[in-house]
Amino acid sequence: TSTEDKTLPVNSEFKLFAEKDVYEVQAGSTAKELLLFVDPGTHSSGMYALEFGQLPEGFTIKNPAKTNEAAEDTAWNKVGDVYFNNSLNGGDPIKPSTKDPLFYFDLEVASTVADGEYTIPIKRLDVIESKDSSFAASVTTPIKVKVTGGAAIPITTAAQPTAAPAQPTAAPGTSTEDKTLPVNSEFKLF
């Protein structure tokens, strides 16, 4: 009944996890069907609210898809930053299956994303079993993405001598003192 933001207690028996330890994707492409599964323990569940944390720059979630087949035609709807799924079937809660993904989506990676490993953070998965039972799932493995073929970061620095050049043997009447050459900013070492 309240519109106040509330944090539900975490139930460590109900676990949310990614299908793979690390998904691999090329920069400038889209990783298809990243899968999130749950191990519900002894719980049955009725509705879910999934919210991602702040995505790394250059990453976009696309095409959120329906939950596991047991939930039949239920779909994920986005309300603000939260993906919401009412998987009640005829008023009866459906126990999620560990064999079918609860949620899957595509992940678009911009061509400007540099090579490296990134985390797609999950802020919460709230589970509403009934009017008397609501809790947050325990997130056991974050979504990790390894990006390859990304944008290189150019590094340009002016050439700096590491040591003074060897001096020729001095002719009589000339100086042998060490001299530092001037830096030519047009000539670059990188």
Side-chain angles (χ1 to χ4, degrees):
T1 58
S2 173
T3 56
E4 178 184 333
D5 186 23
K6 297 198 175 181
T7 302
L8 295 175
V10 174
N11 183 324
S12 60
E13 186 184 46
F14 196 106
K15 298 176 177 74
L16 175 71
F17 58 94
E19 175 196 30
K20 296 181 180 179
D21 291 335
V22 179
Y23 291 91
E24 293 188 18
V25 62
Q26 287 279 116
S29 68
T30 300
K32 300 286 188 182
E33 293 191 357
L34 280 70
L35 308 177
L36 294 177
F37 287 83
V38 293
D39 179 353
T42 60
H43 293 272
S44 59
S45 58
M47 294 182 283
Y48 308 98
L50 176 66
E51 183 177 5
F52 291 93
Q54 180 68 40
L55 297 178
E57 189 172 335
F59 289 79
T60 308
I61 290 174
K62 300 279 188 176
N63 305 320
K66 72 176 185 172
T67 187
N68 60 67
E69 294 303 317
E72 296 181 354
D73 295 328
T74 61
W76 288 90
N77 299 302
K78 190 171 183 189
V79 179
D81 291 331
V82 178
Y83 292 92
F84 175 77
N85 181 288
N86 181 354
S87 58
L88 290 170
N89 183 11
D92 297 324
I94 296 166
K95 186 170 183 177
S97 165
T98 55
K99 297 176 184 174
D100 296 315
L102 175 71
F103 184 85
Y104 53 93
F105 61 97
D106 298 341
L107 187 66
E108 187 176 87
V109 180
S111 61
T112 55
V113 174
D115 287 3
E117 190 170 286
Y118 298 84
T119 299
I120 307 302
I122 298 171
K123 190 172 180 180
R124 65 186 174 115
L125 173 66
D126 290 347
V127 180
I128 299 93
E129 287 184 309
S130 70
K131 65 178 185 171
D132 301 318
S133 176
S134 299
F135 54 87
S138 171
V139 180
T140 58
T141 56
I143 304 167
K144 297 277 189 184
V145 179
K146 182 178 179 183
V147 175
T148 56
I153 301 170
I155 300 172
T156 305
T157 56
Q160 297 289 330
T162 56
Q167 299 293 322
T169 305
T174 60
S175 171
T176 59
E177 76 182 53
D178 188 23
K179 299 205 177 186
T180 302
L181 296 175
V183 174
N184 182 332
S185 61
E186 188 177 53
F187 190 95
K188 298 179 173 90
L189 174 67
F190 57 93

